Amino acid sequence: RRSQTVLLDFVRAGGVNGSRPGRADRGLYGGKRIKFGNIITFSSKKTRRKWMPNVHMMSFESKILDKRVKIKATTNVLRTVEKQGGIDNYLLESTHKKIDSKLGSLLKRDVEELYEWRNGEKYVRKINRVPETPVEEQIYEQFKKFQGTEESRAADLALLVETASKRTTNV
């Protein structure tokens, strides 16, 4: 009985990869955790220390929610938001597991519900979309032969389609 409790505490604390701070539920940390280790001096003396996630208070403009959202977010999440074209796309495209916070999950749910209410259909993540053009279909059929996860297949398919479209525009 005691060993189960210790194991649960270990898993709740983040296991080997680090501890999950409670404040991560009140922001967008993108799975980043507190890391622990040692500072090692020239004389090989070890001093325990921890590395905190790089967190900033940021204000994002949400077009779906029609308001500005002020959230604590890590620099990793900031780069991802910028890459995906805004907080709405980040919330729609990311999984609950990747968002990894109560606030993020609530925002994701609100954005998905408003998207569905405005457009009359559920949002379909890019990874789950069906090939639309004949070129995409042809590449997808060739790519089916390889083993791997569905996500890796979809990511590689998107890359192949992008390179194929560049080739056709350059010719």
Side-chain angles (χ1 to χ4, degrees):
R1 191 81 169 134
R2 175 75 180 130
S3 62
Q4 287 179 331
T5 308
V6 171
L7 180 63
L8 284 174
D9 291 342
F10 180 73
V11 171
R12 280 191 205 115
V16 178
N17 295 330
S19 175
R20 185 175 181 279
R23 62 186 175 152
D25 280 334
R26 299 183 297 275
L28 294 175
Y29 279 49
K32 294 297 175 187
R33 302 193 180 282
I34 299 171
K35 304 241 175 165
F36 299 93
N38 295 314
I39 297 173
I40 303 175
T41 63
F42 182 73
S43 64
S44 299
K45 179 182 173 187
K46 295 178 182 168
T47 308
R48 292 298 285 173
R49 71 153 290 182
K50 61 183 175 180
W51 288 268
M52 303 296 282
N54 189 2
V55 181
H56 298 276
M57 184 63 105
M58 294 298 294
S59 184
F60 297 103
E61 184 68 38
S62 173
K63 294 176 183 171
I64 294 178
L65 297 173
D66 285 332
K67 64 179 178 181
R68 272 188 111 48
V69 183
K70 197 170 183 180
I71 305 172
K72 285 184 179 180
T74 60
T75 51
N76 184 38
V77 169
L78 296 177
R79 281 193 303 272
T80 308
V81 166
E82 188 175 315
K83 181 180 176 183
Q84 291 187 346
I87 191 73
D88 296 327
N89 291 339
Y90 170 75
L91 292 169
L92 289 170
E93 287 295 323
S94 299
T95 61
H96 285 284
K97 186 176 180 180
K98 181 64 181 170
I99 290 175
D100 191 30
S101 77
K102 291 178 184 173
L103 176 70
S105 293
L106 291 172
L107 280 171
K108 179 177 176 65
R109 187 195 65 202
D110 290 348
V111 168
E112 284 176 341
E113 285 176 359
L114 274 170
Y115 181 90
E116 185 177 348
W117 180 73
R118 287 185 183 160
N119 298 329
E121 61 185 19
K122 277 192 155 188
Y123 182 79
V124 179
R125 290 178 54 216
K126 290 178 184 169
I127 291 172
N128 299 333
R129 293 199 179 129
V130 179
E132 296 170 357
T133 63
V135 175
E136 287 180 10
E137 187 68 42
Q138 183 182 11
I139 293 170
Y140 186 71
E141 289 301 321
Q142 290 175 351
F143 194 70
K144 269 183 168 177
K145 299 172 190 172
F146 299 103
Q147 296 296 323
T149 64
E150 192 62 37
E151 284 188 2
S152 67
R153 281 191 215 131
D156 290 341
L157 173 65
L159 182 66
L160 287 171
V161 168
E162 186 177 307
T163 55
S165 64
K166 283 182 184 176
R167 285 184 197 147
T168 56
T169 56
N170 291 340
V171 174

